[in-house]
Amino acid sequence: MNGRFGLNGYTGFIIAVLLVVIGAVIVGWGAIYVQRKNATDYYTINTSSLQMKSVDNSKAITYHKVKE
């Protein structure tokens, strides 16, 4: 099929547009999934227990899970 309705014509254009739209939907859905998963987890930092250049600073972070 050559001409207007071949892969170099309207058909190819429609296929390319559909591939881009499907890719955008997949990436968008993934971004929404990650945002929803991480938006329910938050943390607090106990600044009074922080020390300069200490490996114990990781203990100052407390993670909380929001109940759904």
Side-chain angles (χ1 to χ4, degrees):
M1 292 178 59
N2 293 327
R4 286 188 187 170
F5 297 102
L7 287 179
N8 292 332
Y10 295 130
T11 306
F13 176 73
I14 290 172
I15 291 171
V17 168
L18 286 176
L19 287 174
V20 169
V21 169
I22 290 171
V25 168
I26 291 171
V27 170
W29 181 82
I32 291 171
Y33 173 76
V34 168
Q35 177 64 25
R36 283 185 180 167
K37 182 179 175 187
N38 291 325
T40 57
D41 298 333
Y42 65 96
Y43 61 92
T44 56
I45 299 176
N46 183 4
T47 56
S48 63
S49 66
L50 290 176
Q51 299 173 4
M52 185 177 289
K53 296 184 181 180
S54 173
V55 283
D56 293 332
N57 286 339
S58 63
K59 296 176 185 174
I61 300 173
T62 306
Y63 293 96
H64 306 279
K65 178 72 176 170
V66 177
K67 296 179 183 178
E68 294 181 10

